[in-house]
Amino acid sequence: MNKWLLEGKVCLITGASSGIGLETAVGLAAAGARVVMLCRDEARGEAARQEIMKRGSSAAVDLLLADLASQTQVYQLISQFRLAYHRLDVLILNAAVITKERQETEDGFEMQFAVNHLNQFLLARRLLDRLISSAPSRIIAVSSEMHHYGRIPLDEFSHSQRYHPLRTYANTKLANVMCTFAFARRLSGIGVTANCVYPGQARTNLLRELPGWVQKMSWVTAVSPEEAARSPLYLAASPDVGDISGAYFEGKEPAQAASHAHDESLQDRLYQLCLDLTPVR
Ligand SMILES: NC(=O)c1ccc[n+]([C@@H]2O[C@H](COP(=O)([O-])OP(=O)(O)OC[C@H]3O[C@@H](n4cnc5c(N)ncnc54)[C@H](OP(=O)(O)O)[C@@H]3O)[C@@H](O)[C@H]2O)c1
């Protein structure tokens, strides 16, 4: 990565306390960016910040705290960000969770839907003006090949009837892809790109709540978080992809997203639903 590429750029990344997010943040810092980490836990966030500064050889790493399960905290975080930073060049929506049992957030949403998708949609939506005024700028959503198995249950995102951790996760990852495509269409021609990426199977904490054998199986072919971070980093910093928007990448290569992810009418209905579920406060 050429250091000059992100010199002077502000990059906000969610879920930077571990795994792929932490490694992406190290790469952003090493590329000269001012890295703004969004984490939910102060101790884990601060430990990660120290590691990112050390390994990225940079002091320009800041920590903001918010639990993405809470819209109140996301709105507070947005206000804090707006006060502290006058530009936003790269927004990486990376945080995710897989809960074994169905959980509900304080706002009454199913946990994975809220954390993996809805409240990060809210973050992106409410920072669009900063991205636009900082253009050329980029949104990168870290999704998964699991999105191929997802569906968009517009009427039943609460998953109250048929909760299954991985099916629900797949739905949230499909929602990431579809809203990224919807953002790309809305931002077309104004210098803000929106792409999503499957970083590959990586040995991270993501499956920690699931039975040990699930993690063992998935780790057989998994790579290190550092290796997986190369693709979000590439989308964040490489001039090769500066003009690409509305694409799904696997690693560093554009790939076929699920055919149903390209349904623009469904994208728009999902986008509108997400707007309706994140009313201005
Ligand atoms: N690992 C894989 O094989 C794989 C494959 C495909 C896609 N992905 C995608 O890669 C991305 C990163 O996941 P990972 O594998 O690196 O998993 P990870 O190590 O578990 O990292 C997830 C990050 O999200 C944060 N997070 C979770 N819930 C949060 C909340 N309520 N509020 C704020 N932050 C929260 C975690 O913070 P804490 O430290 O506080 O828990 C952590 O920093 C995800 O979008 C995932 O879907 C991963």
Side-chain angles (χ1 to χ4, degrees), residues 37 39 41-51 53 63:
M37 311 161 59
C39 299
D41 181 273
E42 187 164 13
R44 274 199 302 277
E46 183 53 29
R49 191 176 82 89
Q50 295 299 330
E51 182 179 343
M53 288 196 294
L63 173 63

Side-chain angles (χ1 to χ4, degrees), residues 63 94 104 134 234 249 251 281:
L63 173 63
N94 163 80
E104 218 165 84
S134 310
Y234 174 73
F249 285 75
R281 291 190 185 175

Side-chain angles (χ1 to χ4, degrees), residues 97-116:
V97 69
I98 299 178
T99 61
K100 184 173 167 222
E101 309 292 345
R102 183 183 181 281
Q103 292 176 26
E104 218 165 84
T105 68
E106 65 187 27
D107 305 305
F109 298 112
E110 186 283 320
M111 182 65 70
Q112 292 200 62
F113 173 59
V115 172
N116 302 2

